[in-house]
């Protein structure tokens, strides 16, 4: 089974609203990354949070990590139509990228 | 600076044929990773190349193979294509080999359709 699992699988919101996506994982991790994928194209790295960090910000993105609950959340504030994409979490449990597992993603639709 | 480039964008093959997919990493990146993204599934790790060597492979049969050239570009070959090989194949590169503390840079992928 996937190490990282995003929830919800799909999310539809109005432009200007906030979007929250969650990621749960099963084993201890070194870091967790969030990526965005537009329309089945390549993934774009958004943010990396290390296991000793609890929160990280990048522009309109806010990522939290709760290692006790083995979960992370990605918050996009003041969403825009251009944020419409699939969002993936990737967990690194050690061993390099060959061991990094990606979830199946949350498909976000932002309605103008 | 050019990003990771993949070719072709789309590839249509019939069952039993062979497919060759190509990837050029970002200049200065020595590590190239290949992933398979089938519809509705997450990215599945296929292969990792660094400095011309295959460093690791995922849980895929031997008909999935590849190589990395001296200029660090890479090729993924899929022999004896099966219908379930239809997927988006993504190539990614990174600066530091083996470390997952550096972000991956992805290409736009090759959509392989097996008929």
């Amino acid at each position: 089974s996937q190490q990282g699992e995003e929830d919800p699988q799909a999310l539809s919101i109005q432009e200007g609203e906030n979007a929250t996506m969650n990621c749960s994982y099963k084993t201890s991790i070194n870091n967790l990354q969030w990526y965005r994928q537009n329309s089945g194209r390549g993934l774009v790295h958004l943010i990396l949070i290390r296991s000793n960090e609890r929160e990280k910000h990048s522009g309109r993105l806010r990522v939290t990590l709760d290692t006790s609950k083995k979960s992370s959340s990605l918050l996009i504030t003041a969403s825009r139509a251009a944020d419409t994409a699939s969002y993936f979490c990737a967990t690194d449990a050690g061993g390099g990228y060959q061991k990094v597992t990606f979830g199946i993603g949350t498909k976000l639709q932002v309605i103008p | 600076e050019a990003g990771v480039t993949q070719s072709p964008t789309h590839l249509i093959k019939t069952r039993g044929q062979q497919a060759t997919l190509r990837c050029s990493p970002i200049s200065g990146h020595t590590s190239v990773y290949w992933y398979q993204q089938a519809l509705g599934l997450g990215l599945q790790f296929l292969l990792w190349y660094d400095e011309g060597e295959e460093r690791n492979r995922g849980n895929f049969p031997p008909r999935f193979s590849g190589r990395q050239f001296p200029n660090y570009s890479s090729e993924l070959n899929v022999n004896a294509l099966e219908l379930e090989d239809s997927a988006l194949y993504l190539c990614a590169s990174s600066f530091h080999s083996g470390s997952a503390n550096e972000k991956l840079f992805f290409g736009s992928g090759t959509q392989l359709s097996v008929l």
Side-chain angles (χ1 to χ4, degrees):
Chain A
S1 62
Q2 293 289 335
Q3 160 77 321
E5 294 187 5
E6 294 89 349
D7 170 67
Q9 289 192 9
L11 180 61
S12 183
I13 59 173
Q14 296 289 329
E15 200 166 32
E17 294 180 336
N18 296 340
T20 299
M21 288 157 270
N22 302 296
C23 171
S24 59
Y25 55 92
K26 296 179 173 62
T27 65
S28 297
I29 59 171
N30 293 333
N31 65 57
L32 185 146
Q33 301 181 54
W34 284 92
Y35 285 82
R36 184 187 74 225
Q37 183 179 38
N38 289 84
S39 305
R41 307 304 284 176
L43 278 69
V44 174
H45 183 270
L46 294 176
I47 204 162
L48 181 152
I49 187 166
R50 304 186 194 283
S51 59
N52 61 352
E53 297 175 311
R54 292 295 167 259
E55 189 170 309
K56 213 161 180 180
H57 297 257
S58 177
R60 294 183 296 112
L61 306 180
R62 173 178 168 250
V63 168
T64 61
L65 179 65
D66 188 334
T67 53
S68 66
K69 295 181 180 177
K70 293 187 169 56
S71 68
S72 172
S73 67
L74 169 66
L75 168 68
I76 304 174
T77 59
S79 64
R80 305 167 182 167
D83 295 328
T84 295
S86 291
Y87 292 82
F88 295 83
C89 67
T91 51
D92 170 30
Y97 267 111
Q98 66 271 27
K99 300 295 185 184
V100 169
T101 55
F102 290 80
I104 62 173
T106 291
K107 187 170 286 189
L108 172 66
Q109 181 185 27
V110 181
I111 303 167
Chain B
E1 178 186 291
V4 177
T5 57
Q6 290 188 245
S7 64
T9 304
H10 294 87
L11 190 57
I12 299 175
K13 294 284 187 179
T14 56
R15 199 169 45 183
Q17 286 188 314
Q18 181 206 29
T20 298
L21 289 64
R22 296 180 178 83
C23 171
S24 292
I26 287 174
S27 178
H29 287 188
T30 63
S31 274
V32 171
Y33 301 84
W34 286 95
Y35 291 90
Q36 181 195 66
Q37 186 181 26
L39 197 63
L41 297 179
L43 276 70
Q44 305 293 320
F45 168 72
L46 261 169
L47 289 159
W48 169 36
Y49 292 95
D50 183 65
E51 298 284 358
E53 300 282 333
E54 180 181 303
R55 301 297 182 180
N56 209 338
R57 65 181 293 126
N59 189 24
F60 281 84
R63 56 191 188 81
F64 286 84
S65 65
R67 52 182 172 166
Q68 187 178 35
F69 300 98
N71 65 354
Y72 303 117
S73 66
S74 177
E75 204 172 79
L76 173 68
N77 295 293
V78 188
N79 294 319
L81 284 165
E82 299 179 1
L83 296 179
E84 52 266 32
D85 296 333
S86 295
L88 181 68
Y89 289 83
L90 292 165
C91 169
S93 72
S94 71
F95 182 65
H96 289 294
S97 67
S99 168
N101 284 320
E102 300 291 330
K103 61 184 180 181
L104 287 180
F105 292 83
F106 281 84
S108 296
T110 293
Q111 184 65 53
L112 173 64
S113 299
V114 182
L115 308 178

